[in-house]
Amino acid sequence: MGKPQEERRKEIVQATMDLTAEEGIKRVTTQAIADRVGIAQPTVFRHFKTRDAIFAAVIGWIAENLFKAISSGFNPNEPSDEQLRKLIKRQLTFINKHRAIPKVLFSDFLHLESPKLKASLQEVMNRYIKRVTQILQQGKENGEFRNDLDTEKTAIYIAALIQGLVLRWSVYEFNFSLEDEADSIWQFLLPVLKSINSQNQIN
Amino acid sequence: MGKPQEERRKEIVQATMDLTAEEGIKRVTTQAIADRVGIAQPTVFRHFKTRDAIFAAVIGWIAENLFKAISSGFNPNEPSDEQLRKLIKRQLTFINKHRAIPKVLFSDFLHLESPKLKASLQEVMNRYIKRVTQILQQGKENGEFRNDLDTEKTAIYIAALIQGLVLRWSVYEFNFSLEDEADSIWQFLLPVLKSINSQNQIN
DNA sequence: TAAGTAAGTGATTACTTACTCACTTTCGAA
DNA sequence: TTCGAAAGTGAGTAAGTAATCACTTACTTA
């Protein structure tokens, strides 16, 4: 007999991610997955009911490991700005290692194909925003950040900035290191978080 | 006989955009397009050699009209910050009206399927960045913006922020008005562009 | 008004691909 | 050692879909 359920499932998920990174979702057929794992195509369906279920597992994997990555080495006693800087750095480092992420994120597949997947993506985003908002809030209370900071809006824009950069990374064939952008992003964000003069509005 | 070439092509492009907005790219079959236009499926191929060619035309339409939108009412004598503010506002207003844009932008279709389309997307992005960089440069020389502003990086991040927000808009089923975000984005960006104290770096 | 041409079509093809099924192999526990 | 169940498979099905083709219709113009 072959390998036990759990092991095979992981292999299939991993193979799917690898193929997605290389080829883009559309070309990841169940046949291709089977070939990569080294099993027959129908065997894939012993472990996942449908093709969509495989991608649901992929998204699950990404979500789980993304949060693991951005939470690793979290120290609540550190200054908020350091917490946030590290979070961004870790997130970019993680995504930089997994090109499947933008391919999955930017796929028409997710963008209507299956409402369940969409819902779970929304959940991941919500959770991320909440996390960043917390840090911002804490920093605001600390006095580290501007006291007129709109924490949630800011969190949303930080997330958007990163996601947009990931899109760019993908569109430009991964021709720059995401990880290396962390510092410049941080420089970009500093005035948003810390500037003292509450701003020459509109004018 | 039917309608003349040009008119039909426009109808097909329009129908494709409408369907894409409603259904996502994958479900936009040549049959669906034909039905929407009110012609037979093979007739579509009288006007476009392949299905990809239709989407190429869609991207062309988007690019053309996006630049028309962001350039409309451009006045070189206006202050740079006003120019940039209006550009962002107009861009968001335009995208807000065309839900097909995120569906096309965030499609695995583009993300490997056809290198030509990818190249043309890169070109649109380059052109956009160049435009924003110019405005930032001008504002920097004017003394309106920080004199230590990295204009190109900033332009890239502004573009990323907007694209990321468009992704969010799409993932959340268009449940907020993009256009209404323009002002808060501008508030978010102001400290980046104008802050005087050249920043409490890293610390 | 006749001819040439562009637009339009029904029928079909060629192909891809998720998924099923009946059957076999292998493992682990009793 | 036996036996039940889980993992595995070859062969096939069903459904969808881009693209082709031979043919028709109708508009334009000489």
Side-chain angles (χ1 to χ4, degrees):
Chain A
M1 197 174 52
K3 310 195 179 177
Q5 183 76 224
E6 264 319 297
E7 197 174 338
R8 269 287 188 252
R9 281 179 67 95
K10 276 182 196 160
E11 284 180 13
I12 290 171
V13 168
Q14 201 50 59
T16 303
M17 284 190 68
D18 292 349
L19 286 167
T20 301
E22 294 163 20
E23 309 268 5
I25 283 190
K26 194 179 166 185
R27 294 194 190 167
V28 181
T29 62
T30 56
Q31 183 66 63
I33 296 170
D35 289 348
R36 178 66 62 114
V37 174
I39 56 182
Q41 185 254 1
T43 308
V44 172
F45 290 93
R46 284 267 176 246
H47 301 280
F48 291 93
K49 205 157 173 33
T50 63
R51 180 177 180 268
D52 275 14
I54 302 173
F55 282 100
V58 167
I59 292 180
W61 186 95
I62 292 173
E64 188 189 330
N65 288 279
L66 173 64
F67 283 103
K68 252 187 220 159
I70 66 177
S71 305
S72 85
F74 168 70
N75 172 359
N77 300 318
E78 252 177 342
S80 306
D81 68 341
E82 219 17 42
Q83 285 181 27
L84 185 57
R85 194 182 66 76
K86 283 186 180 166
L87 183 149
I88 291 171
K89 176 80 173 178
R90 287 184 181 121
Q91 180 181 8
L92 291 173
T93 302
F94 176 73
I95 297 175
N96 197 52
K97 275 197 294 234
H98 300 286
R99 296 180 178 190
I101 295 175
K103 300 275 183 175
V104 170
L105 194 58
F106 308 128
S107 65
D108 45 1
F109 170 63
L110 264 175
H111 289 260
L112 181 73
E113 224 41 42
S114 64
K116 269 186 204 165
L117 294 185
K118 195 164 195 169
S120 74
L121 179 60
Q122 285 179 4
E123 213 178 303
V124 173
M125 284 190 174
N126 286 340
R127 203 172 145 202
Y128 180 87
I129 300 291
K130 202 173 273 176
R131 189 100 173 66
V132 173
T133 305
Q134 268 171 6
I135 297 177
L136 292 174
Q137 188 61 37
Q138 174 196 303
K140 191 172 159 184
E141 284 160 10
N142 279 349
E144 284 183 64
F145 296 153
R146 294 163 49 184
N147 59 14
D148 63 339
L149 197 66
D150 182 335
T151 53
E152 198 183 355
K153 269 248 181 282
T154 305
I156 288 172
Y157 291 160
I158 290 174
L161 170 52
I162 291 172
Q163 283 153 13
L165 200 64
V166 172
L167 172 66
R168 184 180 175 81
W169 183 57
S170 174
V171 167
Y172 284 84
E173 321 267 9
F174 312 110
N175 74 349
F176 60 92
S177 160
L178 256 194
E179 195 173 355
D180 292 351
E181 289 293 314
D183 289 341
S184 7
I185 290 182
W186 188 243
Q187 291 307 314
F188 177 87
L189 288 177
L190 271 174
V192 173
L193 305 174
K194 301 208 167 190
S195 86
I196 293 153
N197 50 332
S198 260
Q199 236 43 50
N200 358 3
Q201 308 284 37
I202 291 280
N203 79 18
Chain B
M1 194 175 54
K3 309 194 181 177
Q5 183 74 226
E6 264 320 295
E7 196 174 339
R8 268 288 188 252
R9 282 180 67 96
K10 276 182 198 160
E11 283 180 14
I12 290 171
V13 167
Q14 200 51 57
T16 303
M17 287 190 65
D18 292 349
L19 286 166
T20 300
E22 293 162 22
E23 309 267 4
I25 281 188
K26 195 180 164 184
R27 294 193 191 168
V28 180
T29 62
T30 55
Q31 183 67 63
I33 296 169
D35 289 349
R36 178 67 61 113
V37 175
I39 56 182
Q41 184 254 358
T43 307
V44 172
F45 290 91
R46 285 267 176 244
H47 301 280
F48 291 93
K49 202 153 175 40
T50 64
R51 179 176 180 268
D52 276 14
I54 301 172
F55 283 100
V58 167
I59 292 179
W61 186 95
I62 292 172
E64 187 189 330
N65 287 279
L66 173 64
F67 284 103
K68 250 187 220 161
I70 67 178
S71 306
S72 85
F74 169 70
N75 172 0
N77 299 319
E78 252 177 342
S80 305
D81 68 341
E82 218 18 40
Q83 285 181 27
L84 185 57
R85 195 182 64 76
K86 284 186 179 164
L87 183 150
I88 291 171
K89 175 80 173 177
R90 286 184 181 122
Q91 179 182 7
L92 290 173
T93 302
F94 176 72
I95 297 174
N96 198 52
K97 276 196 294 229
H98 300 285
R99 297 180 176 190
I101 293 174
K103 301 275 182 174
V104 170
L105 194 58
F106 309 129
S107 65
D108 45 0
F109 170 63
L110 264 175
H111 290 259
L112 181 74
E113 223 43 39
S114 65
K116 269 186 204 164
L117 293 185
K118 196 163 196 169
S120 74
L121 179 59
Q122 286 179 4
E123 211 178 305
V124 173
M125 284 189 174
N126 287 339
R127 200 172 147 202
Y128 179 88
I129 300 292
K130 201 173 272 177
R131 190 98 171 65
V132 174
T133 305
Q134 267 171 7
I135 296 177
L136 292 174
Q137 188 61 37
Q138 173 196 305
K140 192 174 160 183
E141 284 161 10
N142 278 350
E144 284 183 63
F145 296 152
R146 293 163 50 185
N147 59 16
D148 63 339
L149 198 67
D150 183 335
T151 54
E152 197 182 356
K153 269 247 182 285
T154 305
I156 288 172
Y157 292 161
I158 290 174
L161 170 53
I162 290 172
Q163 283 153 14
L165 199 65
V166 172
L167 172 67
R168 183 180 176 81
W169 182 57
S170 174
V171 167
Y172 285 84
E173 320 268 8
F174 313 110
N175 72 352
F176 60 91
S177 161
L178 258 194
E179 194 173 354
D180 293 350
E181 289 292 314
D183 288 340
S184 8
I185 289 182
W186 188 243
Q187 291 307 314
F188 177 87
L189 287 177
L190 271 175
V192 173
L193 305 174
K194 299 209 167 189
S195 87
I196 293 151
N197 50 333
S198 258
Q199 234 45 50
N200 356 4
Q201 307 285 34
I202 291 280
N203 79 18

